[in-house]
Amino acid sequence: MRSTNGLVLAAALSLALTGCGGGTDAGGGGAAPLTLPGVDEYLNAPCPEVGTKPATDKEFTYWSMWTADEPQGKVLGKAIKCFTEKTGVKVNVQWLGRKLLTQNVAPALNTDTVPDLFDQDISQVKAAIVAPGGTQPVDDVLDYKIGEGDKTVRDVLPKSSYDIPQNKDANGKIFEIPYELLGNAWWYDKAKIKDFKAPATMADLFALFDKAKSDGMAAVSQDGDINFYNAYFFTQIAVRYLGAGGLEKAALDKSGAAWTSDPGLLKSAELVEKLAKGGYFIDGWDAAKFPQIQQRWADGDAAYLFVGSWGPSETREYLSKQGGDKGIEYASFQFPQPEGATHKVVEQLPIGFAVTAKAKHPEAAKAFIAYMLNKDILSGIPAVADNLTPRADLPVPDSLKDVKAALEAPGVEHAIFMDALDGLAAGKWVDNVFYPLNNDLLKGKITAKQFIDGLAAKQAEFWKSTNS
């Protein structure tokens, strides 16, 4: 979903982000459990009042990353209908899908036909639209009322979801307000993995894998044809040594020497080499086409799967199409701390709204952003789309409780997926430097030292040719 690689990611995650909808499993919170409305109940519920009404704008244009008939599209469709009902403002929406940044928004930046509002994850937006100056700040939206008394956007969103370096423009201003939040985790089926204990160390993690093998099943399912899926293992471990933003800093070192100067990077690569050469991956993982291997995990052929918070909705949809009553009792856990690592990091990827620099109706667009965060509107993301929101006070699908708890754990650092490496140089850095070497490491074709030395050399060549 990021940068130029968003074309690849969009294809891989078009299923992932849609989910199967129908999130009726309840989350917990406080003394009384929070419950999710059913899909029909949500879509047919009365419209909440608008907290901030546009003073002059009578319409605005919204280009959406969703299609109208997928779950998030249905939620946004209700928000649009309700916003118009309560304000009289017409929303001119185009449902363009995941490639809207590269195919629609970016080409329009030098014209007078830009949308007022668009959405996508912050990494893609920053690389494709913010970098060429295509957005305007939305810091003011933080103080817009959302239709819940005096509550404002700032009151209901945790700072960790928007006040982060990756969501700042060249002047340090916020360019996006999130309404959905992705996380990632190791997934397993509680009905199959008995007496499970979350690993506290990497040794514990490998012990889980060894036990799975001894029980006669593959340890890990991995769709090896998806580059960024393959990257997760190294980046997840490495950010725990370097901290959030540390990998991005290393990748921006024009000499490439940063890769060989920090011992944590080699240690991270050594753990990936151990994973690669330990016979843990399911057979055929590096030759199949997505989502075949993930589906084999859903079928029970492997014990663990590392993927984003879309994993349950995607595998649930697959199983429902197979018929029968087969299901998964979803549970998840985060990567444990490697030995000597001092940063407790949890990865996240906010998806939200941005306003173009040339917007003709920014007032209405910003008012709509605030309205989307009203709890009676935003609750459709977990209820209909089976995904997480940044708000801490909304119910959570059962399958995502562990991920939500990890994201909200005290004292954690929040890093963007892959530490935002795939947004560098419009995605060219990962394509030319990182992905080829990382794939070779994960497939056991090179050693950890060869991987690190290769990154240092190729990165120096890359930045020299890019800046020449």
Side-chain angles (χ1 to χ4, degrees), residues 206-229:
F206 282 109
L208 288 178
F209 297 162
D210 289 331
K211 185 177 187 305
K213 289 174 62 179
S214 68
D215 289 342
M217 65 192 310
V220 179
S221 274
Q222 173 69 10
D223 280 288
D225 61 324
I226 305 297
N227 286 331
F228 66 94
Y229 278 18

Side-chain angles (χ1 to χ4, degrees), residues 99 118 131 162 201 232 293 313 333:
K99 299 179 183 180
F118 66 95
Y162 65 86
T201 66
Y232 285 161
I293 303 301
S313 61
F333 61 94

Side-chain angles (χ1 to χ4, degrees), residues 246-263:
L247 276 174
E248 183 181 26
K249 182 179 179 181
L252 289 171
D253 174 20
K254 300 300 187 289
S255 72
W259 292 101
T260 56
S261 62
D262 192 312

Side-chain angles (χ1 to χ4, degrees), residues 1-2 65 120-125 160-164 166-167 175-183 347-353 390 414-417:
M1 287 177 42
R2 292 173 261 173
M65 66 178 282
Q120 189 45 285
D121 75 68
I122 63 171
S123 290
Q124 283 199 70
V125 172
S160 61
S161 69
Y162 65 86
D163 191 9
I164 51 180
Q166 296 86 354
N167 193 29
F175 63 79
E176 184 166 299
I177 301 293
Y179 62 83
E180 182 170 311
L181 193 64
L182 301 178
E347 288 190 342
Q348 64 177 9
L349 188 62
I351 294 174
F353 293 115
H414 290 92
I416 299 301
F417 281 16

Side-chain angles (χ1 to χ4, degrees), residues 185-186 199 202 205 232-234 236-237 240 275 306 333-338 345:
W186 283 103
M202 289 300 296
L205 181 63
Y232 285 161
F233 301 104
F234 175 77
Q236 277 277 335
I237 298 169
R240 286 163 167 76
L275 177 67
F306 190 88
F333 61 94
Q334 296 294 304
F335 259 97
Q337 287 294 102
V345 177

Side-chain angles (χ1 to χ4, degrees), residues 234-369:
F234 175 77
T235 60
Q236 277 277 335
I237 298 169
V239 292
R240 286 163 167 76
Y241 282 107
L242 275 63
L247 276 174
E248 183 181 26
K249 182 179 179 181
L252 289 171
D253 174 20
K254 300 300 187 289
S255 72
W259 292 101
T260 56
S261 62
D262 192 312
L265 291 167
L266 179 58
K267 291 178 181 178
S268 302
E270 288 171 343
L271 288 167
V272 176
E273 182 181 356
K274 180 178 180 179
L275 177 67
K277 295 181 177 179
Y280 296 116
F281 290 123
I282 195 169
D283 62 287
W285 73 276
D286 55 349
K289 295 295 182 182
F290 175 86
Q292 292 174 338
I293 303 301
Q294 178 176 279
Q295 290 170 350
R296 290 181 64 187
W297 175 79
D299 288 332
D301 294 341
Y304 303 101
L305 170 74
F306 190 88
V307 76
S309 51
W310 55 85
S313 61
E314 194 165 305
T315 51
R316 191 182 295 121
E317 182 174 27
Y318 161 71
L319 290 175
S320 70
K321 290 179 178 179
Q322 305 308 301
D325 58 358
K326 181 178 173 59
I328 295 174
E329 193 174 349
Y330 295 95
S332 68
F333 61 94
Q334 296 294 304
F335 259 97
Q337 287 294 102
E339 185 179 359
T342 58
H343 297 271
K344 187 177 180 182
V345 177
V346 177
E347 288 190 342
Q348 64 177 9
L349 188 62
I351 294 174
F353 293 115
V355 179
T356 59
K358 291 184 178 180
K360 295 181 177 65
H361 305 290
E363 179 191 41
K366 291 181 177 182
F368 178 78
I369 294 174

